Amino acid sequence: MGGLRLRIGDNDMLILNSVEVVYSNVILVLRGVSLQVPEGAIVSLLGANGAGKTTTLKSISGLLGTELGDVTHGNIEFDGQRIDRSEPEDIVKLGIVQVMEGRRQFGHLSVEENLRAGAYTRHNGASLKRDLDMVYGYFPRLKALRRATSGYCSGGEQQMLVIGRALMAHPKLILLDEPSLGLAPLLVEEIFGIVKNINEEEGTSVLLVEQNAMAALGIASYGYVMENGRVVLDGSAEKLRENEDIREFYLGLSQLGKRKSYREVKHYKRRKRWLG
Amino acid sequence: MSEFISLVVNGILIGGVYALVGLAIVVIYKSSSVFNFAVGDFVMWGGFVMWTFLVAFDLPIWASILFAVVVMAIIGLLTNRLLISPMAGQPLLAVVLLTLGLSYLLKGVHSAAWGPTWKAFPPLLPSGKLTLGSISFSADYMWCFIIAMVAFGIFSYLFQRTRMGLAMRATAEDHQLARSTGISVKTIFSATWILAALLCLVAGVLLGSVNNLGPQLADIGLKGFPVVLFGGLESVVGCIVGGIVVGVLENLGAAYLNPLVGGGIEEVVPFVVMLLVLMFKPYGLFGLKRIERL
Ligand SMILES: Nc1ncnc2c1ncn2[C@@H]1O[C@H](COP(=O)(O)OP(=O)(O)OP(=O)(O)O)[C@@H](O)[C@H]1O
Ligand SMILES: [Mg+2]
C-alpha cells in the first residue's frame, strides 16, 4: 500500500494516519485507514455496505464516542492539530461538521429552526440573518418551506436542509455521508451540483461518502475506495472512473460500458431503500 | 351553581402553580428522559430557602429573591453535575431511582436545617376576597395565578425564542444530532436542571404564601405527576391544561365528595381521572405525535 499517500508539502487540511477504530472494546472496524483531504478539495470515499465509511467520518467528527467507539491506533490531524481525542462540540468549533447518513434532522422543529440550530457554535446574532440568506441562496426551496415542520418535508428537501444546516456553522470541512441515499437521479444531480457550487464559492472542503460512485466521482477531484475497514485503492477521480475494478464492482459497469449484473443492481437498490 | 363556579375558578387559579411544578418535570424529561421524582422536594426547598433569606435573615424582598435564585440554581446545577451526569450511560431506570433517593436526601437535609415546624411568610400577596358577580375567590390565589403565568411566559420565551431554548429543543429530539451541530448536551442538561429548580422556587414561594410553609409542601410532587401525565410528558402547553385540570378536580372533590367519604378525597380524584385519561390516551392529552415519515 501507498507510498502514494505520503506526499509531503502539499496543503492537506485533514490527515488520517493509519486510524484503527474499535467499537465496544471488541469490534474492530477500521484496520488502519490513511487518507488526506487537501484544503478546498472535494474528496470522495467509496465502498460497499459495511466497509467502514460512516465509521471513518465519525472518527473524524468525534461522534464515535457517542456510539462506544474508540480510535485505538493512529491519529487524526486537522489544520495541524490532533483531534482524535476531542469532543464533537469542539471539533465543530474547529470547523468540521458531519452531515449524518439518512438526512438526520430535528423533525419537530421548523426548517428555519433546524438551520439556526446549525449555527449554535456561532454567537453572532447579526450574521445569522446573512447566513440564512446564504443558505436560502443555495437552496431556494428551503426559503419557501422555512416555517414547515422539517419532519414532514420530502426526502430531497430534507437532504438540502441538512446540508444547509451544516453550512450555518461556517465549516472549513463538511463530512457528507451518502447524500444521494433514496433520492431520484435528477435530484441527486441537482444536490451534487449545489455541493460543487458551495465548494467553489465558499471554499468549503468536502469529504463525500457515497455508494453512488458515478455521481461522487463526477464532482470530486480525488477518491479513496474502502473495503473491510481498509483503503484498498485511491487515485484522482478521472483515474478511478476509468479503473476496471471500480467500473465493475462499484459502478456496476463492464468493459463494454453496460451494466454487468442488472439483477444485482436492483437488489442493491431495494436494500438501500430498507436501510433508509 | 355559583358555589360550583367559585370552586372551579379557585381550582383554575391554584392550578396555575401546579402547572409550574409540571413544567419543572417536563423541562428535564424532554431533554434527558429523566423523570425527576424529587420535584416536590425542590418546591419545598424553594419555599424554605426564600423564607430563610426573607424572614430568618430579614433581608429586603429583592435581595431575598436574588439570593434564593442563586441558591436554587446552584442546587439544580449540583444535582446534575454530582448525581445525574456521572450516571450517563447507565440504565435510565437507575437514574430515575436516583432522583427518588435524592428526594429522601433533600427531605433529610431539610429537616436537619429547618426542623419539622411550619413557618410563615409575611404577607407577600394582597389578601382578601374578590367577588365577580356571584363568584368569589381570594385575591392571593389570583395573584398566585398571575405570577405563575408570568413565570410560564418567561419560560416559554426562553424555550421558544432564544439560542439556549432552541438548543434545548434540539437536544430533546436527538442527542447525537445535537452534538453533531456543536451543541454541548452536558451544558444543556445542566441548564434544564437549573431552570427546573427555579420553576420550583417560584412554585414553592407561591404555595408557601397562600398556605403555610412546611415539610408537607414536598407532597406537591405528587400533584405534579398527574399534571404532566394529563398533559403528556413532553408537552409544555399540556402542563397548563394539566395543572388547571388537577386544581379544579381537587377543589370539586374536596367540596362534593369529601362530605360523603369523610375527607382526603381531593388527593385521590386527580389520580383516578388521570388513570382514566391514560386508558384512552396513553400519551396524555397533548402527547407528542411521533412523526412517522422519516
Ligand atoms: N456503533 C457500532 N457498534 C458496533 N459495530 C458497529 C457500529 N457502527 C458500525 N458498526 C459496524 O462497523 C462496520 C462498518 O460500518 P459503517 O457504518 O462504518 O459502514 P459503511 O461503510 O458506512 O456502510 P453503509 O454503506 O451501509 O452505510 C459494520 O460492520 C457495522 O456493523
Ligand atoms: Mg454508512
Side-chain angles (χ1 to χ4, degrees), chain B residues 73 76-77 80-81 85 185-195:
Chain B
L77 180 67
N80 182 52
R81 283 287 164 80
S85 279
V185 170
K186 270 188 199 157
T187 307
I188 297 302
F189 287 172
S190 289
T192 61
W193 278 90
I194 290 172
L195 211 49

Side-chain angles (χ1 to χ4, degrees), chain A:
Chain A
M1 300 222 306
L4 202 117
R5 282 193 298 279
L6 295 172
R7 294 161 302 174
I8 295 171
D10 51 14
N11 58 344
D12 292 334
M13 77 180 339
L14 178 77
I15 303 171
L16 272 72
N17 250 325
S18 39
V19 171
E20 196 176 271
V21 167
V22 173
Y23 283 113
S24 313
N25 292 323
V26 286
I27 310 166
L28 176 65
V29 170
L30 295 191
R31 303 151 193 267
V33 171
S34 297
L35 57 81
Q36 294 89 21
V37 180
E39 195 163 349
I42 300 182
V43 171
S44 182
L45 187 56
L46 309 171
N49 288 117
K53 308 181 295 295
T54 299
T55 301
T56 305
L57 294 193
K58 284 183 175 154
S59 71
I60 301 166
S61 66
L63 288 174
L64 215 51
T66 63
E67 298 185 356
L68 301 180
D70 273 312
V71 176
T72 49
H73 195 266
N75 57 62
I76 302 173
E77 266 177 41
F78 181 68
D79 275 349
Q81 197 175 337
R82 265 190 81 160
I83 56 168
D84 41 285
R85 293 276 173 274
S86 306
E87 296 291 321
E89 300 84 67
D90 300 324
I91 292 174
V92 173
K93 283 187 200 133
L94 287 179
I96 304 181
V97 177
Q98 177 174 359
V99 176
M100 282 189 280
E101 209 168 6
R103 313 189 281 270
R104 285 261 288 277
Q105 14 88 40
F106 302 112
H108 288 99
L109 302 189
S110 72
V111 164
E112 189 156 307
E113 284 172 332
N114 267 275
L115 294 176
R116 284 172 186 273
Y120 179 80
T121 48
R122 300 179 41 250
H123 297 258
N124 189 343
S127 68
L128 195 68
K129 179 88 192 48
R130 210 174 47 230
D131 292 343
L132 283 172
D133 287 339
M134 180 256 299
V135 170
Y136 292 147
Y138 285 113
F139 302 104
R141 222 175 305 175
L142 293 182
K143 185 161 192 179
L145 288 167
R146 55 207 241 245
R147 291 185 199 290
T149 303
S150 72
Y152 293 120
C153 291
S154 77
E157 291 155 357
Q158 289 179 349
Q159 189 59 57
M160 296 177 183
L161 174 60
V162 294
I163 296 174
R165 189 185 60 215
L167 274 184
M168 292 296 289
H170 281 197
K172 295 180 194 156
L173 169 66
I174 296 183
L175 311 174
L176 202 46
D177 200 348
E178 297 207 44
S180 76
L181 195 71
L183 301 186
L186 218 59
L187 208 54
V188 173
E189 203 175 308
E190 182 185 344
I191 286 177
F192 275 50
I194 296 172
V195 170
K196 183 80 183 157
N197 284 347
I198 291 170
N199 166 255
E200 282 166 1
E201 286 160 31
E202 313 292 327
T204 315
S205 315
V206 182
L207 179 53
L208 174 60
V209 158
E210 261 303 336
Q211 299 244 7
N212 188 337
M214 189 76 103
L217 292 174
I219 61 167
S221 56
Y222 203 83
Y224 294 86
V225 179
M226 284 186 76
E227 223 175 78
N228 236 328
R230 284 197 182 88
V231 172
V232 291
L233 193 68
D234 68 312
S236 72
E238 296 135 62
K239 245 197 197 143
L240 290 181
R241 270 197 305 258
E242 271 141 36
N243 183 298
E244 275 313 315
D245 293 338
I246 303 262
R247 292 173 78 81
E248 213 169 303
F249 294 112
Y250 298 102
L251 303 181
L253 298 170
S254 75
Q255 275 157 304
L256 299 169
K258 281 187 191 160
R259 286 236 160 89
K260 188 160 197 182
S261 160
Y262 195 65
R263 212 198 269 129
E264 273 218 321
V265 173
K266 268 170 83 182
H267 169 72
Y268 149 77
K269 278 186 179 162
R270 250 197 326 269
R271 253 193 80 186
K272 275 324 253 190
R273 207 172 308 142
W274 282 111
L275 288 171

Side-chain angles (χ1 to χ4, degrees), chain B:
Chain B
M1 188 60 197
S2 74
E3 189 208 347
F4 176 79
I5 296 178
S6 292
L7 286 170
V8 170
V9 169
N10 280 300
I12 292 174
L13 295 181
I14 199 69
V17 184
Y18 296 167
L20 289 187
V21 180
L23 194 56
I25 297 175
V26 166
V27 66
I28 293 173
Y29 183 84
K30 254 179 103 76
S31 64
S32 58
S33 307
V34 171
F35 194 106
N36 177 16
F37 277 104
V39 71
D41 305 277
F42 276 84
V43 172
M44 172 181 69
W45 268 72
F48 276 89
V49 166
M50 180 70 179
W51 178 87
T52 304
F53 288 118
L54 190 65
V55 179
F57 295 171
D58 203 18
L59 295 178
I61 180 111
W62 60 267
S64 305
I65 291 176
L66 191 72
F67 285 128
V69 163
V70 171
V71 169
M72 288 308 287
I74 291 174
I75 291 177
L77 180 67
L78 287 184
T79 303
N80 182 52
R81 283 287 164 80
L82 301 182
L83 288 175
I84 309 298
S85 279
M87 295 291 282
Q90 304 296 318
L92 209 50
L93 183 63
V95 186
V96 173
L97 288 179
L98 196 67
T99 69
L100 209 53
L102 173 67
S103 162
Y104 285 97
L105 180 71
L106 288 175
K107 279 192 223 309
V109 177
H110 165 270
S111 74
W114 287 287
T117 53
W118 291 82
K119 316 280 187 213
F121 280 117
L124 295 173
L125 304 170
S127 58
K129 280 257 175 272
L130 297 177
T131 51
L132 200 75
S134 56
I135 310 161
S136 77
F137 50 92
S138 35
D140 52 357
Y141 271 49
M142 188 190 73
W143 279 103
C144 246
F145 184 78
I146 291 173
I147 293 172
M149 287 306 109
V150 168
F152 216 99
I154 292 173
F155 171 85
S156 301
Y157 175 81
L158 290 177
F159 201 59
Q160 296 294 338
R161 293 267 174 271
T162 66
R163 172 172 169 270
M164 185 57 94
L166 178 61
M168 281 184 193
R169 287 182 290 145
T171 302
E173 287 206 23
D174 188 332
H175 292 177
Q176 192 185 38
L177 183 59
R179 296 194 73 185
S180 84
T181 63
I183 295 170
S184 163
V185 170
K186 270 188 199 157
T187 307
I188 297 302
F189 287 172
S190 289
T192 61
W193 278 90
I194 290 172
L195 211 49
L198 295 182
L199 288 166
C200 289
L201 169 63
V202 178
V205 173
L206 291 178
L207 290 169
S209 53
V210 292
N211 303 318
N212 269 338
L213 194 58
Q216 283 80 350
L217 207 52
D219 297 341
I220 184 71
L222 292 178
K223 297 211 172 89
F225 306 150
V227 169
V228 293
L229 291 172
F230 264 127
L233 261 170
E234 304 193 28
S235 166
V236 172
V237 188
C239 280
I240 294 199
V241 179
I244 286 172
V245 168
V246 169
V248 169
L249 287 177
E250 186 182 73
N251 257 3
L252 294 179
Y256 295 119
L257 296 178
N258 267 352
L260 305 178
V261 297
I265 196 79
E266 69 269 21
E267 308 291 337
V268 183
V269 172
F271 280 93
V272 174
V273 179
M274 172 187 86
L275 286 178
L276 290 176
V277 168
L278 290 183
M279 276 164 73
F280 295 103
K281 302 212 65 164
Y283 295 107
L285 293 176
F286 296 86
L288 266 190
K289 288 178 208 70
R290 297 272 158 230
I291 293 180
E292 294 296 349
R293 76 153 300 162
L294 272 178

